[in-house]
Amino acid sequence: MDLTVSLPRGLVLKNPIVAASGTFGFGPEYASYVDLNRLGGISVKGISPKPWRGNPPPRVWETPAGLLNSIGLQNPGVDAFITDDIPFLTGVDTAVIANIIGHTVEEYQAVAKRLDAQARIDAFEVNISCPNIKEGGMAFGHDPDQAYQVVRAVRMVTQKPVIVKMSPNLEFPGVIAKAVVDAGADMISAINTLVGLAIDLKARRPALGGGTGGLSGPAIKPVAVRIVYEIASNVAVPVIGMGGVQSAEDVLEFLMAGASAVMVGTITFQHPDRMIRIIDQLPDVLRHYGFSNLNEAVGAALGKAGAVS
Amino acid sequence: MDLTVSLPRGLVLKNPIVAASGTFGFGPEYASYVDLNRLGGISVKGISPKPWRGNPPPRVWETPAGLLNSIGLQNPGVDAFITDDIPFLTGVDTAVIANIIGHTVEEYQAVAKRLDAQARIDAFEVNISCPNIKEGGMAFGHDPDQAYQVVRAVRMVTQKPVIVKMSPNLEFPGVIAKAVVDAGADMISAINTLVGLAIDLKARRPALGGGTGGLSGPAIKPVAVRIVYEIASNVAVPVIGMGGVQSAEDVLEFLMAGASAVMVGTITFQHPDRMIRIIDQLPDVLRHYGFSNLNEAVGAALGKAGAVS
Amino acid sequence: MNSAFEVPIVKRLEPASGHVELLVDSPVLAQGKPGQFCHILTPGTLRRPVSFSRLEPSTGLAGLLIQVVGSGTRWLSDRQVGDTLDVLGPLGRGFAPPRLDRPWLLVGGGTGIPPIYAALQAWRDQVSEPVAVVLGAKTRDALIMVKDVRQLGFEAELTTDDGSQGRIGTVMAPVQEWLAAHPRSQVWACGPTPMLRALHGATQGLSGPVQLALEQRMGCGIGACLACVVPAQPESPDGPAYRRVCTDGPVFEREELAF
Amino acid sequence: MNSAFEVPIVKRLEPASGHVELLVDSPVLAQGKPGQFCHILTPGTLRRPVSFSRLEPSTGLAGLLIQVVGSGTRWLSDRQVGDTLDVLGPLGRGFAPPRLDRPWLLVGGGTGIPPIYAALQAWRDQVSEPVAVVLGAKTRDALIMVKDVRQLGFEAELTTDDGSQGRIGTVMAPVQEWLAAHPRSQVWACGPTPMLRALHGATQGLSGPVQLALEQRMGCGIGACLACVVPAQPESPDGPAYRRVCTDGPVFEREELAF
Ligand SMILES: Cc1cc2nc3c(=O)[nH]c(=O)nc-3n(C[C@H](O)[C@H](O)[C@H](O)COP(=O)(O)OP(=O)(O)OC[C@H]3O[C@@H](n4cnc5c(N)ncnc54)[C@H](O)[C@@H]3O)c2cc1C
Ligand SMILES: Cc1cc2nc3c(=O)[nH]c(=O)nc-3n(C[C@H](O)[C@H](O)[C@H](O)COP(=O)(O)OP(=O)(O)OC[C@H]3O[C@@H](n4cnc5c(N)ncnc54)[C@H](O)[C@@H]3O)c2cc1C
Ligand SMILES: Cc1cc2nc3c(=O)[nH]c(=O)nc-3n(C[C@H](O)[C@H](O)[C@H](O)COP(=O)(O)O)c2cc1C
Ligand SMILES: Cc1cc2nc3c(=O)[nH]c(=O)nc-3n(C[C@H](O)[C@H](O)[C@H](O)COP(=O)(O)O)c2cc1C
Ligand code: FES
Ligand code: FES
């Protein structure tokens, strides 16, 4: 079965399975565990104009069917990314999505401008939804005006496809989704992590060095599917869904809720090659549920009233 | 160890374990499985002025470490509650909390007024956070003005303790918390369920008859602890925490995050007598983590910066 | 005081592909009534409701016949003799026993067959009028407990959707024929919702009692959460009332339902 | 291409209460270096990092000595001979081997002892200078692998916080004495953070290499997620840089760290 996904501005994925930003480094880390050429794409770790230190450890904490993280977007900055990582990625045959972050509108724009010149970057994912930094990050994703500004600024400096990554910590994701589409976003990815907190009972303190953290993993899948469903029902651009994907069935759930592709994060820590297994199983799972191709599944559950048997 | 919890306006719980609204009926359903007299309290199913039909089935769906429900607050109305259920509850020696709901401010007030006259009702829990109904419910909990109005209206008709139950589907729970305290709330309970959605792959539709549903269970505990921590840091009134409690350790986590008591919901479906086990184990768990009484634990992790070892 | 309790599995049968029957040693469960169920702990967030396929109060054995359809039933089907199950039960309203002066019609579809078998097992000594047992399934494989029914001494009319065993089509053809010939019948049925809906229609105006055993996704299993409702009478202008399968059912009188 | 792989448990030891050592048959792991670890799948959302307690490349055996501290280590401690573990490994930077011209000081605290044993096992034929092995723990029970160390032919100086075995107090007293007497020592240490911090201080200005093996909560275990960082040099005005325990460590040179 052909799993190719054709997205706006010529972005083509071999299949709908993309490594989620922040869980897959810049590519080389997992290269000896996963045949990167088989992936639909890789969204690299968030990149800022200058190096960011990130948050104090501990940075991860296990929760029921979930994971709290407070990495705080540690990254070496766009220059180091270009020098150290793009050469490696140039040898890889998969879509490379640059996840970009900033404290200000200008910083987002600066990264986009720098990377626009890099042929190896196939698309941008504008992260306006990271709950783990104080300034910028999630704040931009919570205000339709600010979200508009950031996306507009990025749009002005690149003709590459622009994906905007949405926060789940919102009352009305549809409002932000509309604002970023108005600003020129070609696609929306959702969701980033939910804000959570755990207590280290022995230490009598919040378990993470950063205090709160971002909740990911299977625990958040119902919230993610709801937001994808809501966004897909409200805006016309393609949606890339994520949050707790573990299996090809989970992928199908996101597709039916309106996603054109999915990203896979936390499960990779347990099973480095799970994305490959999902890609292998997806055709059978689609067939099992009566779909003869991928596109048929996209949005298949949209607009259906609740089920009454 | 003395587990008594003394709350505002003379509300006293034998212990900090209270059955969560909607998961424990009106009391008699679990009476043959649990010695109700041992519980700290029971928050009964939400009560409206007239009977509510609730949402079309299916009304529950399992998710990883969680449960989606779309009951839609089916209940027989306040008159039937008084006639059919209060007599049974009169024979039970535990705090009874009336969870009240309405489509309008007046409806909330009407239920509170009717029940204020009932000696058996020890406190009110004003539910402004149910995600499963179209009008009223969550809408009141998302707007500080409306939240204020509802709570004010209830406050005007009763001298009994008023607890306000908060939604987690908010950007700034602290803002709503402040509004309801200004309106006269004596306590805050948190959290109600997160809005989620699952797809029934076979039926190609949302799995629940109501479309979206409310996510509960261990999956949401980190979100719940975060919100309790945030509210406890922002308002001076006691907080009753809930969301995914399964064990005495989970109870301690909520206590350390600032809760004075907890409510226990979803786990009761798996283990009808789990609340009793938690009550039995709580003293040992408190001691194990170095607390010599319950109060010491309340808020023990508040105001502590993130942990760096 | 009731509680969840552990029951040991003493026998494990594989009556058909994708189906497992577990016999548990539990005098408490064995006192259950046909049509009742127990609510079984599995690794998921919710217990799984399973009807009794056999009830042997004299030996203290109860049977649970499970079709594998998802994670919980797969886990159950992997249990072995010597393992225990954590159950709540017997739960719900079972089938009302037969009236002696009316012909019997028992209809079972797919995993609705086991409760029908349990009823026949319980009532086999009370037969005084003609009896029809109609069992249907999608395919031959899913037509379970046919031998067991025959061993009790009952004839069974069989149907499969694909004709791989018995008459081709649903149970409704033999049901209609029997009802035409025996209009005073009392009816018990358990099976998928479309089958029950068809029976609900076909039994309109019948003078005898019609008992339908329903399924619905459950939370608590004991009446507290209002998860497991089905549309019921009286219908109001807003639509049907909702009643609980776990405590008001699983067995409902035809007149109580609003299909 | 690497991947997670299954290794069979061939021996299970209970060296002390609350501790289990699992020997696995895996030539790949047995090629690991002392100080390296493997990342083991457990039922939780994250794998659990465990250092090698033994490395026997000739027989293809590797050891994992686990102290039960929570759900994952409890699950690991329940594994039996014949079960398999799903592992990633060997991972991380291990201890650098000894220089022949300097005295040795090896310091292990609690679950930091196993990597020290693995180092002694690997290097036992390379001893040419005086060697000190200092092992400490809270109580006698947690003072693991002492016999194993002695069986390799090394003396071990023991300390416990409560004096239940060896000298009372931490490892630092014997460490200080040894360093005073052997200032040209090379040092390897593994143990709880406070012990490593104390050693970091006590070894300031030492001419020989000082290698400290750290612990940190981990996500991926292979360098991708930046979860497992520790404060490191160079310190900037904003504070220390953060480096990864899983790939830049677990073993760091003293100079690389910012305690
Ligand atoms: C009163 C009653 C009696 C039943 N008796 C039997 C029986 O004797 N033999 C048998 O094989 N099955 C019986 N079922 C159906 C059985 O409960 C489901 O097949 C089972 O719960 C599916 O669980 P799963 O984890 O394998 O499937 P999944 O689809 O993974 O389950 C997900 C969730 O949906 C629920 N669910 C799925 N299908 C059904 C269903 N048909 N009815 C109710 N809930 C469902 C599950 O309980 C679970 O909460 C009965 C159901 C009810 C309500
Ligand atoms: C490089 C390295 C080597 C280690 N070697 C050993 C060893 O040889 N023997 C041994 O007994 N233990 C060792 N540990 C510690 C061991 O990983 C933890 O004790 C274990 O992960 C605890 O898991 P749990 O589920 O039992 O505890 P929980 O507290 O329930 O674990 C919850 C989470 O915290 C993490 N965590 C808890 N304690 C630690 C810790 N001390 N270090 C890192 N993560 C932790 C867990 O991995 C898990 O993600 C090592 C740790 C590291 C980083
Ligand atoms: C350790 C970790 C680091 C992350 N870092 C980033 C990041 O840098 N940029 C970003 O947009 N999302 C980041 N995320 C969010 C993921 O990309 C993804 O949105 C989220 O984890 C939900 O997917 P999952 O449940 O499959 O992990 C991170 C998630 C985790 C667990
Ligand atoms: C089936 C079900 C019904 C519920 N009904 C109500 C309700 O009527 N009123 C209310 O305030 N909360 C209701 N809740 C929310 C719970 O009281 C509680 O806030 C939530 O489930 C989180 O706790 P838990 O994870 O322990 O279940 C309901 C939850 C469930 C699962
Ligand atoms: S399952 Fe809870 S009321 Fe029926
Ligand atoms: S654990 Fe992921 S980088 Fe170290």
Side-chain angles (χ1 to χ4, degrees), chain D residues 52-136:
Chain D
F52 297 115
S53 57
R54 297 171 203 270
L55 290 161
E56 301 178 358
S58 58
T59 58
L61 290 188
L64 302 162
L65 198 159
I66 295 137
Q67 183 190 11
V68 176
V69 298
S71 62
T73 46
R74 176 160 314 282
W75 183 88
L76 284 170
S77 74
D78 287 342
R79 296 310 93 192
Q80 303 298 332
V81 170
D83 292 346
T84 58
L85 298 177
D86 178 315
V87 300
L88 299 174
L91 298 176
R93 174 163 66 147
F95 287 120
R99 307 200 184 163
L100 298 181
D101 59 345
R102 289 178 177 275
W104 299 14
L105 170 61
L106 296 102
V107 189
T111 54
I113 298 175
I116 296 298
Y117 173 83
L120 292 169
Q121 191 188 30
W123 306 333
R124 65 183 154 213
D125 299 334
Q126 302 173 44
V127 179
S128 56
E129 294 282 324
V131 175
V133 180
V134 183
L135 306 178

Side-chain angles (χ1 to χ4, degrees), chain A residues 22-25 29-35 45 53-63 65-67 71 74 202 266 269-272, chain D residues 1-4 41-48 69 88 91 216-220 222-227 229-230 236 238-240 242 244:
Chain A
T23 65
F24 210 70
E29 296 85 350
Y30 273 106
S32 71
Y33 292 91
V34 179
D35 180 355
K45 179 86 203 140
R53 294 177 57 233
N55 288 340
R59 289 181 171 181
V60 284
W61 190 265
E62 200 176 273
T63 70
L67 174 66
I71 308 297
Q74 175 173 349
K202 284 179 210 156
T266 304
F269 300 157
Q270 276 181 300
H271 302 286
Chain D
M1 180 134 316
N2 288 324
S3 64
L41 191 69
T42 66
T45 334
L46 293 174
R47 289 173 176 262
R48 298 295 190 266
V69 298
L88 299 174
L91 298 176
Q216 186 55 278
R217 283 161 198 268
M218 287 188 180
C220 65
I222 62 161
C225 72
L226 301 178
V229 299
V230 289
S236 76
D238 303 346
Y242 287 121
R244 296 164 299 188

Side-chain angles (χ1 to χ4, degrees), chain C residues 218-228 244 246:
Chain C
M218 287 188 181
C220 65
I222 63 162
C225 73
L226 302 177
C228 62
R244 296 164 301 190
C246 69

Side-chain angles (χ1 to χ4, degrees), chain A residues 11 81-82 86-87 89-92 94-98 112-124 158 160-161:
Chain A
L11 180 62
F81 171 64
I82 291 174
I86 295 234
L89 290 168
T90 303
V92 178
T94 189
V96 173
I97 300 171
K113 205 167 174 180
R114 276 291 267 131
L115 291 178
D116 185 55
Q118 297 291 329
R120 183 62 272 235
I121 302 301
D122 298 303
F124 290 105
T158 184
K160 294 188 175 178

